[in-house]
Amino acid sequence: MQSRFDIAIIGGGAAGTLAALQCLRQAHAPLRIALFETAPRLGEGVAYSTTQPEHLLNVPTGRMSALPDRPDDFLDWFAMRPGHGDTAREALARGFAPRREYAHYLRDRLQQARQASPATLEVVPARIDTLQRDGDGWTLRWTEGQAGAQRVLLAVGNAARPLPARGAGGLARPRLLDAWDYAGIAAIAADAEVCIVGTGLSMVDAVMTLAANGHRGRIHLLSRHALLPLAHSPGHQVDETLQVEALHPLGVRARLHRLRRQVRDAASCGLPWQAVMEALRPHVQSLWRSLPAAEQRRFLRHAVRYWDIHRHRIAPSVQAVIGNLLDRGQLHLHAARLDMAVAGQRCVQLTAHTRGRRTLALDVEHVVNATGVEMRVQAMRNPLLEQLLGDGHARRGAHGIGLASDAQGRLLDAQGHAQDDLRVVGSLRIGEAWESIAVPELRVQAEAVARGWLAGQPRPVES
Ligand SMILES: Cc1cc2nc3c(=O)[nH]c(=O)nc-3n(C[C@H](O)[C@H](O)[C@H](O)COP(=O)(O)OP(=O)(O)OC[C@H]3O[C@@H](n4cnc5c(N)ncnc54)[C@H](O)[C@@H]3O)c2cc1C
C-alpha cells in the first residue's frame, strides 16, 4: 500500500525546510508531512551547501531569522556558536555570517519543531518526476516508488543557466566548472589562468575561493555590461523619509528619476544610497505588482542589471578583496559577449565580442560558468516542472519567468484556475512577485502557506 501524507513538500533546500518548519509549528493535530529531497543534508540546496568559510551570507546576520515572528532568531542562534563570546551583539547583527552556518541553523530549528509538534515529518530521499491528480489530492512518483498527498508544495528552487556559448557542450569538468561547484573551484591550481563568465554574486563566490587559496594566476571576468555587485553600507541605515506610495502610480523611468532624487536628498542628510534601497526593500513586491505588464517588460529589458547590482549587495569585507585584486591587476574586467568556448590541448579557447565589435580572444585553463540563476522555467531542465506544464497543472509565469501563481503561492493551471492544494514557494514565484529568492521573502512565504493550509484545523480542547 502506498504512503499517504497530509502535506508533501518537494525540495529540501532552504525554502522547503522553512516550509516544513512552519507546518510543524502550526500543526495542532497529528498530521503526516513528507519532505522529498535527495541531498544528504536538509536546508543546504545551492546556497548553503558551501563549506568554504570565505562564502558569506549577503544579508546581515540580524536579518536572516527563519521565523517572521522572531526576527532575532538567527542572531540568537549565531551568538551562541563557539568563538562569539566577546563580540558585541550589535556588531554580530550587522556582520555577515559564513553561509555554511545557515543550514546548521535551519536543521537545528527543524529538529526543535519536530520534537514540539503533534505532526510528524518524514524525509524521503527521492527526486519527484511526476505529480498527477488523484481522487483525493495528488500522486507523487519517483524512480522507485510513489506516494499520495492531500496537498503539495513545490520548493524546487534554483537552476543554473548553461554557459551561453557555441562549443560549450563539448567542454567537461574541470575545464568548464560551474560556480556552484564549490569543490571544483577550490581545486583550481594557484597559477592557472581562469575566466569567470558572469559578474554577479556567483562570480564573487568563485573569486573569494581563488583569493582564499592564494591564487597567483590571471583571472578574467567577462560579462556584457561588466557591472560588479556593490557593497552594503557599514551602518545599514534606512531612509525613513521615502514615500513608497508616491512611486506606485509611476512608470519605470519616473520611479528611477524619483529614486535618484531621493538618493541626492538622503546624501544631503548624511545617508548613503543604500539607505534608500533598504527603505525600498520591504515594498519591492508591491512595487512590482503595481507596474503594468509593459512597464515590467521595460524594467526587465533596460533596468534589471542596474537593479541587481544595487539590490543584491555584498559584505564590505568581500568588496575589499575584489577591489584589491582589481587594483593589483590580477582581475581583468571585460565588457564583452561570449560567443564561443572550445577545448584546446591544455586550455579552453574563448572568443568574445565587445560592444565596439572588437574581438577578444582568451586562452585559459578553466572557464567558470557564473551566469547565475535560470528564470525561464522551460530552460530549467527539471523534468517535474516540464511534466506539470505539459499536463496543464501549471503554466509559465508572467514574461515567461517562473510559474504563474497568485499572491498566496497557489499555482495557476493551464486555464488560469488557482489550485489551493498545489502551491509554490521561492524563486519560481518571480514573475508574480519579482522579489522572491532571499530568506526574508522565503520565510514569509513558508509561514503563509502553512497558515493557509492549517489555520482551519481543529485545536485540541484545553483541559
Ligand atoms: C550562491 C547563492 C548564494 C545565496 N546567498 C543568499 C544569502 O546570503 N541570503 C539570502 O537570503 N539568500 C541567498 N541566496 C538566495 C537563495 O536562493 C535562497 O536563500 C535559498 O537558498 C533558496 O532556497 P530554495 O530551497 O528555494 O532553493 P535551492 O537551494 O535551489 O533548493 C532546492 C532543492 O530542491 C531540490 N529539488 C529540486 N527538484 C526536486 C524534485 N523534483 N524532487 C525532489 N527535490 C527536488 C533540490 O535537490 C534542492 O535541494 C543565495 C543564492 C545563491 C544561488
Side-chain angles (χ1 to χ4, degrees):
M1 208 180 74
Q2 76 170 30
S3 299
R4 186 132 201 114
F5 297 97
D6 296 288
I7 294 173
I9 300 167
I10 305 179
T17 304
L18 286 167
L21 175 59
Q22 285 296 344
C23 291
L24 290 167
R25 287 181 96 214
Q26 296 188 39
H28 304 303
L31 298 173
R32 281 187 78 192
I33 304 165
L35 181 52
F36 291 89
E37 172 60 62
T38 49
R41 287 174 300 277
L42 294 180
E44 295 192 343
V46 173
Y48 310 116
S49 57
T50 174
T51 56
Q52 315 287 135
E54 67 276 8
H55 290 164
L56 304 183
L57 291 172
N58 52 40
V59 175
T61 303
R63 299 196 192 157
M64 281 293 285
S65 171
L67 307 169
D69 57 332
R70 282 167 40 193
D72 285 344
D73 193 60
F74 179 58
L75 175 59
D76 294 341
W77 180 90
F78 191 57
M80 299 302 286
R81 297 289 280 171
H84 296 153
D86 297 335
T87 317
R89 190 173 162 84
E90 184 50 27
L92 269 190
R94 277 193 270 114
F96 298 85
R99 287 215 304 273
R100 62 184 183 183
E101 295 283 338
Y102 199 69
H104 274 281
Y105 159 69
L106 291 179
R107 288 194 294 269
D108 271 8
R109 290 299 182 252
L110 187 68
Q111 183 55 21
Q112 288 167 355
R114 277 172 120 162
Q115 283 161 0
S117 178
T120 55
L121 176 69
E122 291 172 47
V123 179
V124 186
R127 195 162 184 90
I128 303 302
D129 296 320
T130 65
L131 196 53
Q132 298 289 0
R133 271 204 180 281
D134 62 25
D136 190 26
W138 296 92
T139 298
L140 302 92
R141 290 197 176 81
W142 60 97
T143 315
E144 311 86 17
Q146 64 178 56
Q150 211 178 340
R151 293 158 174 150
V152 176
L153 179 65
L154 292 182
V156 297
N158 299 311
R161 283 195 200 123
L163 190 71
R166 278 179 291 142
L171 295 175
R173 196 175 184 269
R175 289 283 166 246
L176 171 61
L177 289 165
D178 198 297
W180 298 343
D181 176 354
Y182 303 118
I185 305 288
I188 291 177
D191 53 359
E193 187 158 348
V194 178
C195 179
I196 304 177
V197 182
T199 53
L201 295 180
S202 297
M203 170 282 289
V204 171
D205 271 359
V207 170
M208 290 303 287
T209 295
L210 294 174
N213 289 349
H215 198 77
R216 297 183 300 275
R218 221 188 266 233
I219 306 168
H220 302 274
L221 308 181
L222 189 108
S223 73
R224 267 189 289 166
H225 295 81
L227 293 169
L228 300 179
L230 299 168
H232 286 279
S233 63
H236 302 301
Q237 300 102 312
V238 179
D239 180 1
E240 307 285 358
T241 68
L242 180 71
Q243 306 273 322
V244 176
E245 320 76 59
L247 296 171
H248 277 124
L250 306 178
V252 171
R253 266 174 97 117
R255 286 182 185 190
L256 290 177
H257 186 71
R258 191 66 77 86
L259 285 173
R260 282 201 201 98
R261 202 172 69 204
Q262 185 79 24
V263 166
R264 281 196 297 276
D265 292 349
S268 65
C269 302
L271 285 175
W273 62 265
Q274 291 92 334
V276 177
M277 289 303 288
E278 289 298 327
L280 208 59
R281 176 80 168 82
H283 308 283
V284 173
Q285 294 189 351
S286 70
L287 285 165
W288 174 255
R289 288 175 184 137
S290 64
L291 279 178
E295 284 295 305
Q296 291 181 343
R297 268 197 300 280
R298 186 192 292 258
F299 171 83
L300 292 171
R301 209 175 310 128
H302 301 296
V304 71
R305 289 175 195 86
Y306 300 94
W307 170 262
D308 280 351
I309 59 167
H310 289 85
R311 157 64 190 90
H312 299 283
R313 298 192 295 278
I314 52 180
S317 63
V318 170
Q319 193 193 43
V321 172
I322 307 248
N324 183 29
L325 290 170
L326 280 167
D327 292 346
R328 282 195 345 222
Q330 194 181 353
L331 273 187
H332 299 257
L333 185 58
H334 306 280
R337 177 206 285 268
L338 182 65
D339 291 324
M340 206 149 70
V342 289
Q345 275 292 69
R346 288 179 46 249
C347 66
V348 184
Q349 292 165 347
L350 301 174
T351 313
H353 284 96
T354 65
R355 284 203 154 167
R357 296 186 185 277
R358 198 170 55 80
T359 301
L360 174 73
L362 297 171
D363 279 0
V364 295
E365 276 140 288
H366 303 276
V367 55
V368 176
N369 178 9
T371 51
V373 175
E374 177 60 70
M375 296 194 292
R376 295 161 305 148
V377 71
Q378 76 279 17
M380 287 181 182
R381 291 163 294 163
N382 187 328
L384 173 62
L385 300 180
E386 283 162 23
Q387 179 262 324
L388 289 173
L389 288 169
D391 289 356
H393 298 309
R395 63 182 197 179
R396 289 188 300 152
H399 316 295
I401 56 178
L403 291 177
S405 66
D406 68 8
Q408 284 74 46
R410 288 186 285 234
L411 221 57
L412 305 190
D413 66 14
Q415 283 74 44
H417 300 131
Q419 304 166 93
D420 188 60
D421 58 359
L422 180 58
R423 300 203 189 198
V424 58
V425 285
S427 52
L428 283 173
R429 278 163 77 164
I430 188 166
E432 190 279 320
W434 181 247
E435 183 68 69
S436 188
I437 192 170
V439 167
E441 279 70 39
L442 300 185
R443 67 184 171 213
V444 171
Q445 294 179 1
E447 193 277 337
V449 167
R451 188 162 26 85
W453 279 344
L454 301 177
Q457 65 188 316
R459 283 173 175 269
V461 183
E462 305 269 333
S463 55

